[in-house]
Amino acid sequence: MKKISKYILPVFYVIVIGFIVFMGYRLLANTGTFKLTKEEVNLSSDTTYQISIDADTRKERDNSKYTYSSKDKNVATVDDNGLVTPVSSGSTEIIVKKGMKKATLKVNVTDIPMD
């Protein structure tokens, strides 16, 4: 029994370390590299803007893998597909994320009357 138990702990360590290495690789593999085709856009009340990804590979250009959020939804909103819609005059940033990577788009909105 002692011979069997002296191998259990090292095998357990190998399994745990292997899992940590595998998960770290998966995390890094999901990041990719990307940037936006524009860093800043100017919108007025009658325009929208579709965010476009300038990515290293075709796989990275798949918009379904990105998440979009607006820092100030009172100025501009963004939907799940990256379509930016102005709400009121001002400036905000749209944050685009994929895994651990992110890019920002500055949005300036003009010509929208305040209520």
Side-chain angles (χ1 to χ4, degrees):
M1 187 69 172
K2 280 188 171 185
K3 286 186 177 186
I4 293 174
S5 64
K6 81 175 190 179
Y7 293 111
I8 291 176
L9 195 57
V11 168
F12 176 74
Y13 285 142
V14 167
I15 292 170
V16 169
I17 290 171
F19 178 75
I20 291 169
V21 169
F22 173 74
M23 292 308 292
Y25 170 76
R26 299 245 326 151
L27 251 172
L28 291 174
N30 282 335
T31 59
T33 58
F34 74 94
K35 63 180 182 175
L36 306 179
T37 55
K38 290 188 177 184
E39 294 179 1
E40 184 172 359
V41 293
N42 298 308
L43 300 177
S44 60
S45 59
D46 60 345
T47 60
T48 58
Y49 176 72
Q50 178 62 53
I51 294 175
S52 180
I53 308 294
D54 184 15
D56 290 344
T57 65
R58 183 179 202 176
K59 181 179 176 184
E60 294 297 323
R61 286 189 288 271
D62 179 9
N63 275 5
S64 66
K65 308 261 187 223
Y66 294 90
T67 59
Y68 304 90
S69 61
S70 174
K71 279 194 170 181
D72 188 349
K73 293 178 182 176
N74 294 319
V75 175
T77 60
V78 61
D79 69 11
D80 292 341
N81 298 312
L83 182 66
V84 180
T85 304
V87 176
S88 65
S89 295
S91 294
T92 190
E93 288 184 345
I94 303 297
I95 310 298
V96 182
K97 290 184 180 180
K98 180 176 184 187
M100 295 172 41
K101 297 291 248 177
K102 75 176 185 176
T104 57
L105 171 71
K106 184 172 181 181
V107 178
N108 303 305
V109 179
T110 56
D111 299 325
I112 295 182
M114 299 274 192
D115 290 338

